[in-house]
Amino acid sequence: MTISLIDKINLEIRKGDITKQPDCDSIVNAANAQLKSGGGVAGAIHSIGDPELEIETSKFAPIKTGEAVITSAPKMPNRYIVHCLGPVYGKDKPEDMLLGNCYKNALLIADKYEVKSIAFPAISTGIFGYPVDEAARVAFSTIQSVAHKLTNIKTIRSVLWSDEDYKTHEKVLEDLVK
Ligand code: AR6
C-alpha cells in the first residue's frame, strides 16, 4: 500500500526484511544504545555489516533514546544506515514522544545526507515491547508532520516483518488518510 504525502513524498508499507531493500538509499536500524549487534533488526544488520559497521558505530556510542546517527552501510546495497534508539515500552517515558523523535531525527539526518528513499523497521515493537498499532500511529503521524521539512526524501517505506504487523500498519494508515 502507498499513499502520497505533501510535496510528492510517498509513504509505502511493505512486508519484508529491512536488510533486503536494495532500492532504498538508506535503511534504519532499531538499535541499542551501544550501537552493537543484538537480536531482531540490529542482529540482522550487524551480522552483514560487522566488523566494519561496528568500527563506525562505536564512534557514536552510546546514543540516547530518540536519537539518530548515520553511518555507511558496509556490504549492503544501501548508501547509509540510520541508527535509532527507540523507547522501551513501559520504561522510557513519554514513549510516544521518544518514538516520534526517532522517526523525526532519522528523517532529518537522512535528508541532510541527500537520501531520496529510506526504509524503516517498526522501531521498538520487538524486544522493546511497544504495541504495534500504537507504534504505527506514532510513526505515521510523525512522518506526516515532518514531511514539509524534507527536501530530498521522496520515498519513506515502512518494512514489516510479519503478515500481522503488515495488516495492523495497513489499517492504521487507512484510518489516517480517511
Ligand atoms: N527486517 C524487518 N523487521 C524486522 C526484522 C528484519 N530483518 N527482524 C525483526 N524485525 P527489534 P526493538 C521486526 O526487536 O523493539 C535488539 O536486540 C520485529 O518483528 O529488532 O526496537 C537491539 O539490540 C519488530 O516488529 O527492535 C535492541 O536492544 C521490529 O522489527 C533491541 O533489540 C523491531 O524489533 C531493540 O528493540
Side-chain angles (χ1 to χ4, degrees):
M1 178 179 177
T2 302
I3 65 158
S4 285
L5 301 172
I6 55 153
D7 298 333
K8 299 196 179 76
I9 299 175
N10 282 332
L11 172 56
E12 317 176 333
I13 55 170
R14 298 253 182 111
K15 196 188 157 216
D17 183 336
I18 196 71
T19 65
K20 299 197 171 71
Q21 306 299 319
D23 56 336
C24 284
D25 290 339
S26 180
I27 59 167
V28 176
N29 182 14
N32 50 65
Q34 297 305 323
L35 299 175
K36 289 188 186 236
S37 188
V41 170
I45 289 176
H46 279 272
S47 69
I48 298 170
D50 283 355
E52 293 89 337
L53 181 58
E54 199 187 318
I55 292 168
E56 265 194 79
T57 55
S58 65
K59 294 176 194 147
F60 297 104
I63 61 165
K64 295 191 180 69
T65 309
E67 199 179 334
V69 298
I70 192 163
T71 66
S72 72
K75 291 175 273 182
M76 305 200 59
N78 321 95
R79 279 164 59 210
Y80 299 109
I81 302 172
V82 176
H83 306 260
C84 290
L85 177 60
V88 176
Y89 194 75
K91 179 172 168 267
D92 299 319
K93 295 192 178 195
E95 286 110 346
D96 55 348
M97 191 195 84
L98 293 168
L99 184 61
N101 285 347
C102 286
Y103 284 88
K104 182 177 82 182
N105 291 329
L107 288 169
L108 293 178
I109 198 166
D111 199 61
K112 212 164 123 186
Y113 277 72
E114 301 184 351
V115 162
K116 291 193 170 52
S117 47
I118 183 166
F120 284 87
I123 299 169
S124 282
T125 66
I127 290 159
F128 286 175
Y130 213 119
V132 175
D133 57 338
E134 278 182 45
R137 271 191 283 276
V138 173
F140 295 150
S141 58
T142 306
I143 290 168
Q144 272 190 321
S145 67
V146 175
H148 72 280
K149 294 190 178 155
L150 305 174
T151 51
N152 294 303
I153 293 175
K154 298 293 171 217
T155 301
I156 303 168
R157 180 178 296 164
S158 179
V159 178
L160 292 323
W161 188 236
S162 68
D163 279 332
E164 200 184 332
D165 289 353
Y166 178 87
K167 283 182 196 138
T168 304
H169 280 73
E170 189 174 45
K171 192 170 180 310
V172 171
L173 200 53
E174 278 165 4
D175 287 348
L176 214 72
V177 295
K178 257 181 200 163

